Amino acid sequence: MTFQPLAEIADIGRDRELGGWSRHLLDPADRALREWFVGRAQELGLQTEVDVNANIWAWWGEPGPDSVVTGSHLDSVPGGGAFDGPLGVVSALEAVGRLRSTGFVPRRPLAVVAMAEEEGSRFSVACLGSKLLSGALPAERALGLRDRDGFSLAETLDRAGLAPERAGRDPGALSRIGLFVELHVEQGRGLVELDSPVGLASNILGHGRWRVVFDGEGNHAGATRMQDRRDPMVAAAATVAAIPAVAMAHPGSRATVGRVRAVPGGTNVIASRVEVFLDARAEEDLLTRRLVHEITELAAARAAENGCSSRLVEDSWLPTVHFDPAVREGLADALAPGFGTVPVLPTGAGHDAGVLSEYVPTAMIFVRNPSGVSHAPAEWASAEDCWAGVDALTAVLTAHLAA
Ligand code: HGY
Ligand code: MN
Ligand code: MN
Ligand code: MN
């Protein structure tokens, strides 16, 4: 059985080439999904607004201090799953729909939020909307970020009718948040092993994104003898092949290369430059730093062997997040009547809640993912567990909005 609220948007952003869904900040799919969100929220009687950082807020009651905010993101990784992000947004709308249909009157303002560019699939920085909102990422650095077609974030915001010069830290928006709760499909099998449909987050692994840039000598694929080459692709490939062993030497670490960019990228052209996009994470931030350092040294050695140079560029970094146990306890108390003791577990995936937890009281609810697979078309959660997530979120909102 399919979780109907997600089925409603399943045709938006379906990627026929990659499979799964591709929805990236303000591209046609993202715009269609944002339009759907605004329409659905307005049907529920919520007041919608797009903030200066392209995050969308749907308010029940006047925006004000001590609001309860819930939601997630609508964008995806390339060829991603249907649940990562949208499950949190549609579940929030379902919970609000339930509360409104029972005549519930909240004692605090409530907002459902769809954060912009959480996956960083277009501008390469994860949690862009929440990092701009909180000031974790300075606007002047973000506005110059360019997508694969060379468009800057500033141009993209401008073309969407937003004022890029106003993007950045939004103290007003931050000060209104009394509690942020993000519901998210689990990206892993923790809840399967714990045999529970829902769970609460304890912490998020620190993680970052780097580019290892190899520079060599661009040349003709046919006219250049093998011994005369300074081919950065060879250095890059040898480095990528050696990364798993480096990560495995640090138990609990994860290092991934999901994207490589050859410049200029012609089949009959020896590349002049190759960029290796690295995602590294570990249970201790120092360990992540050490892992990246070892990979950088490995790259320098492979580059030297091939007459090339290498350098490291840091694109983004989010330290390990420990969610506030007192905030989590508040959710656990609200869930106890309906769910008993809800398990608490860590996540290796980043979230807007991780960014915002530095600034406002924040918690996360996870929904069981039977295979644990995420960032792939096979990502899935049962309708039963998704409705359990809506039940859980409704209980949490009821308890915190009545307070
Ligand atoms: O990359 C992450 O961990 C998140 O899904 N953006
Ligand atoms: Mn994700
Ligand atoms: Mn996500
Ligand atoms: Mn030619």
Side-chain angles (χ1 to χ4, degrees), residues 287-310:
L287 210 45
T288 311
R289 293 285 175 191
R290 187 178 318 145
L291 178 60
V292 173
H293 175 71
E294 289 179 17
I295 291 169
T296 307
E297 289 191 321
L298 169 72
R302 297 292 94 79
E305 288 161 10
N306 289 282
C308 299
S309 65
S310 70

Side-chain angles (χ1 to χ4, degrees), residues 26 143 152-165:
L26 296 169
L143 291 170
S152 70
L153 175 64
E155 289 165 326
T156 305
L157 293 175
D158 188 48
R159 286 168 57 180
L162 296 169
E165 68 281 2

Side-chain angles (χ1 to χ4, degrees), residues 73 84 118-119 187 375:
H73 60 95
D84 174 354
E118 190 277 343
E119 296 292 3
Q187 294 156 302
H375 284 188

Side-chain angles (χ1 to χ4, degrees), residues 318-377:
L318 197 70
T320 297
V321 165
H322 295 282
F323 287 109
D324 182 342
V327 177
R328 185 170 55 241
E329 268 317 297
L331 271 75
D333 292 346
L335 294 174
F339 291 85
T341 307
V342 171
V344 176
L345 64 166
T347 175
H351 300 281
D352 291 307
V355 173
L356 293 177
S357 68
E358 281 298 296
Y359 304 88
V360 297
T362 300
M364 286 195 77
I365 299 173
F366 290 132
V367 171
R368 178 166 45 193
N369 171 343
S371 70
V373 168
S374 183
H375 284 188

Side-chain angles (χ1 to χ4, degrees), residues 113-176:
V113 68
M115 289 291 179
E117 180 79 340
E118 190 277 343
E119 296 292 3
S121 299
R122 182 166 180 182
F123 290 101
S124 295
V125 171
C127 302
L128 188 63
S130 53
K131 281 181 183 168
L132 279 170
L133 160 69
S134 58
L137 177 71
E140 50 281 9
R141 172 151 177 248
L143 291 170
L145 293 170
R146 291 194 179 277
D147 67 10
R148 301 181 191 208
D149 299 323
F151 287 109
S152 70
L153 175 64
E155 289 165 326
T156 305
L157 293 175
D158 188 48
R159 286 168 57 180
L162 296 169
E165 68 281 2
R166 295 182 53 216
R169 179 167 161 70
D170 188 343
L174 266 186
S175 65
R176 290 198 293 242

